[in-house]
């Protein structure tokens, strides 16, 4: 009986280990360590650059987000303590630093990135600095132009939605980001009450267009 129990435990651990290895986080979470995103205004002028890097201290891992404006002046920095669990990268502590408001430490449970489930989207709810968001992660297909080269790719689309009321009027914000293996997060859109714009994008990205699976399959066979 004891040997049978130990065998079952060993098989369960092997299955869990195999499943964990299928989640190749390193290919999506800023795979080159440093990732630069730009936020242009309506005239295409550069407003800010955001740089991502990783740090380790003792037994903790951190994702560091630094925002630069003007001539290399850092205006804000956020340090996320994170760990991976099953299909998600989870931050349980955030240190937000701003040149104007100073430093504030939060202990929100934020999912920085999540793989979808195999045949359906992965959904969760999170609270970020008091604001509640409905979130999802799903596989989609895109036509992305990177350095003027058109690429047909399978992407992970992560959506975060928040609704709030000011006076008698309801407002709705939808943040949509596209993540691609070996490139990381390539673009983020912000839809505020129906007005959609690019809030950040990979500096070598020209555009992104969501396409059907049929169109994707047709183009990759060419």
């Amino acid at each position: 009986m004891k040997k049978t129990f130990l065998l079952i435990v060993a098989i369960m651990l092997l299955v869990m280990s195999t499943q964990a290895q299928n989640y190749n986080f390193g290919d999506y979470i800023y795979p080159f360590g440093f990732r630069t995103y730009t936020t242009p205004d309506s005239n295409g002028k550069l407003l800010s650059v955001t740089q991502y890097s990783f740090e380790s201290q003792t037994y903790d891992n951190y994702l560091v987000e630094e925002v630069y404006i003007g001539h290399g002046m850092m205006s804000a920095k956020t340090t996320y303590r994170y760990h991976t669990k099953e299909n998600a990268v989870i931050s349980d502590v955030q240190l937000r630093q701003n040149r104007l408001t100073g430093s504030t430490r939060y202990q929100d449970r934020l999912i920085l990135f999540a793989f979808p489930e195999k045949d359906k989207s992965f959904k969760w709810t999170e609270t970020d600095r008091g604001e509640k968001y409905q979130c999802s992660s799903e596989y989609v297909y895109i036509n992305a132009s990177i350095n003027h080269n058109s690429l047909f790719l399978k992407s992970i689309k992560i959506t975060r939605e928040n609704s709030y009321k000011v006076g008698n009027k309801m407002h709705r914000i939808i943040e949509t980001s596209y993540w691609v293996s070996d490139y990381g997060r390539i673009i983020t859109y912000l839809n505020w009450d129906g007005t959609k714009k690019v809030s950040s994008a990979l500096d070598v990205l020209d555009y992104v267009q969501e396409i059907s699976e049929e169109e994707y399959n047709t183009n990759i066979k060419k």
Side-chain angles (χ1 to χ4, degrees):
M1 177 66 73
K2 185 177 180 180
K3 288 183 177 180
T4 303
F5 174 75
L6 291 174
L7 179 60
I8 293 173
V9 170
I11 292 173
M12 290 177 63
L13 290 173
L14 178 61
V15 171
M16 291 172 63
S17 175
T18 302
Q19 290 177 338
Q21 291 174 6
N22 290 334
Y23 296 124
N24 48 330
F25 293 109
D27 292 345
Y28 286 87
I29 304 299
Y30 314 112
F32 304 110
F34 295 89
R35 305 298 285 167
T36 300
Y37 293 83
T38 61
T39 307
D41 62 12
S42 58
N43 297 318
K45 183 180 178 181
L46 179 64
L47 294 182
S48 66
V49 174
T50 305
Q51 178 174 282
Y52 296 85
S53 60
F54 295 94
E55 294 180 1
S56 294
Q57 298 177 16
T58 314
Y59 298 105
D60 292 326
N61 296 313
Y62 298 90
L63 173 64
V64 181
E65 176 188 82
E66 298 171 315
V67 180
Y68 293 88
I69 60 173
H71 300 286
M73 179 186 297
M74 187 168 70
S75 64
K77 178 179 178 180
T78 302
T79 304
Y80 301 90
R81 187 175 77 177
Y82 74 92
H83 63 278
T84 58
K85 183 178 181 182
E86 297 176 348
N87 66 321
V89 178
I90 302 169
S91 173
D92 57 357
V93 175
Q94 305 86 38
L95 179 63
R96 300 183 183 274
Q97 300 167 274
N98 188 286
R99 289 178 61 88
L100 299 177
T101 59
S103 301
T104 307
R105 186 176 186 269
Y106 296 89
Q107 290 182 285
D108 294 323
R109 185 184 185 278
L110 306 179
I111 292 184
L112 305 179
F113 172 83
F115 281 94
E117 297 180 4
K118 186 176 181 181
D119 299 317
K120 59 181 180 180
S121 64
F122 173 71
K123 297 181 179 181
W124 72 95
T125 301
E126 65 184 28
T127 301
D128 184 357
R129 289 164 285 179
E131 296 291 330
K132 190 174 182 179
Y133 292 83
Q134 302 297 328
C135 311
S136 65
S137 173
E138 61 183 314
Y139 286 113
V140 297
Y141 299 94
I142 61 172
N143 175 8
S145 177
I146 299 177
N147 280 332
H148 306 293
N149 294 313
S150 188
L151 302 175
F152 296 91
L153 304 164
K154 186 174 183 179
S155 169
I156 293 176
K157 176 182 176 182
I158 295 181
T159 305
R160 302 174 76 246
E161 181 177 341
N162 168 250
S163 297
Y164 64 96
K165 191 174 183 179
V166 177
N168 295 321
K169 187 175 181 180
M170 288 297 299
H171 297 273
R172 186 184 184 194
I173 300 175
I174 304 174
E175 180 190 272
T176 306
S177 57
Y178 292 87
W179 303 68
V180 175
S181 178
D182 296 329
Y183 288 96
R185 179 162 63 103
I186 63 172
I187 195 167
T188 299
Y189 293 99
L190 191 63
N191 187 321
W192 198 323
D193 291 340
T195 301
K196 184 178 178 180
K197 67 175 185 178
V198 175
S199 65
S200 65
L202 191 64
D203 54 357
V204 295
L205 182 72
D206 304 310
Y207 65 83
V208 166
Q209 179 184 15
E210 202 166 318
I211 61 175
S212 67
E213 183 177 2
E214 181 180 5
E215 185 177 349
Y216 166 79
N217 289 330
T218 299
N219 281 280
I220 62 171
K221 292 177 181 178
K222 290 182 178 179

